[in-house]
Amino acid sequence: PGLYVLAIAFALEVSVGKTNTVMALNGSNVLLPCTFTTCIGFQDLIFTWYFNSTELIYHGKIKSKASEPVLVGRNPRVEFVGSTTGKENNISIVLKDVELSDAGKYTCHVLNPKEKKAQHNATIFLTVVHKMEETDNTVTLIIVGVVGGLIGLLILFMLVKRVVLFIIKKTQDGKKECLVSSSGNDNTENGLAGSKAEQKTPPKA
C-alpha cells in the first residue's frame, strides 16, 4: 500500500521551469510558463491559473492526450499559449498589458481525475517594473575588461598549447620515421645478410 501511494504522488508533476520568478515591464506582455508530466496518462484533466491564490484568471479542460485544451473561463487579458498534443504538456499563459498591480503570486493547478482527485500545483512570482534597471556602465566596462582579458589569456593559452602539441607531434613524427627506417632495415633479409657480409669482409681482407 505504501508503494502504491508513492507511485500516485509521483504520477503527475507540475513545473514552472528552472526559475519561479519573472520580471515584466509595465505595459508589456509576459509569459507565465507551466508544464505537467504524468506517468499514468489523463482523461478530462482540469487546469486552473490563480492570481494570489484566490482570483481565478484561467480555467481549461483537456479531454485526452490527443486533444488540445478547451477554454472554460478566463480573464480577458489572459491568453493560453500552450499545447498538450505535443511532446510536452504545456499549459502556459500570457498576461497582456501588465500593470504594477499584476505583481504577485501566480499558481498553476492541475487536477487529473485518474489520480483519485489529487491536485498538483506550481507557483511563479511576477515582479512588474517601470523600466528595466540599467546597470552602472563602469561596472559593465570592468566586467567586459575582465572577461576580455580572460578570453585573451585563454586564446594565448590555446595557441601556446597548439604550438607545444605541434612541436611534440613533430618530434614524435621524427622518432617514428627513425623507427620505421631502422625497423625496415632489420626486417629485410637481404639487408641483414648484406650488412653481415660487409662486417665480415674487412677482417678477411
Side-chain angles (χ1 to χ4, degrees):
L3 282 172
Y4 178 74
V5 171
L6 189 71
I8 286 298
F10 286 103
L12 188 131
E13 281 182 26
V14 183
S15 169
V16 290
K18 288 178 183 174
T19 175
N20 67 338
T21 54
V22 169
M23 190 179 280
L25 195 60
N26 190 23
S28 69
N29 295 348
V30 65
L31 171 73
L32 299 173
C34 185
T35 57
F36 68 89
T37 52
T38 174
C39 320
I40 60 170
F42 61 86
Q43 198 79 37
D44 297 323
L45 181 138
I46 295 160
F47 69 95
T48 45
W49 276 92
Y50 285 96
F51 173 53
N52 288 339
S53 305
T54 53
E55 189 188 332
L56 191 145
I57 58 167
Y58 196 94
H59 183 192
K61 194 172 185 179
I62 314 162
K63 190 165 175 56
S64 69
K65 179 71 185 157
S67 59
E68 286 292 343
V70 174
L71 169 70
V72 178
R74 74 179 173 106
N75 178 305
R77 286 172 49 229
V78 174
E79 185 188 341
F80 179 78
V81 291
S83 172
T84 49
T85 52
K87 201 166 122 180
E88 227 176 24
N89 292 314
N90 188 332
I91 47 173
S92 304
I93 57 169
V94 164
L95 184 59
K96 297 175 180 176
D97 299 322
V98 173
E99 298 164 8
L100 293 170
S101 58
D102 291 324
K105 183 173 82 166
Y106 289 82
T107 314
C108 171
H109 288 266
V110 181
L111 175 66
N112 186 5
K114 273 192 169 187
E115 286 191 26
K116 310 273 185 286
K117 303 292 177 193
Q119 187 159 294
H120 304 271
N121 59 65
T123 302
I124 199 159
F125 295 92
L126 176 68
T127 309
V128 182
V129 292
H130 268 301
K131 58 175 185 173
M132 289 298 180
E133 292 300 313
E134 286 176 23
T135 52
D136 188 355
N137 284 344
T138 48
V139 176
T140 311
L141 286 171
I142 291 166
I143 292 167
V144 168
V146 170
V147 171
L150 286 171
I151 291 169
L153 277 171
L154 190 67
I155 291 168
L156 186 69
F157 171 74
M158 286 172 79
L159 281 172
V160 169
K161 190 178 166 188
R162 274 208 167 161
V163 170
V164 170
L165 285 172
F166 181 75
I167 293 166
I168 291 169
K169 192 176 183 302
K170 276 286 172 200
T171 314
Q172 284 177 344
D173 285 352
K175 283 180 185 169
K176 276 183 199 165
E177 280 163 22
C178 296
L179 288 169
V180 169
S181 55
S182 60
S183 62
N185 284 347
D186 292 346
N187 292 340
T188 311
E189 286 177 32
N190 294 344
L192 275 173
S195 59
K196 279 178 189 169
E198 280 161 23
Q199 282 168 7
K200 285 176 189 173
T201 311
K204 280 184 186 174

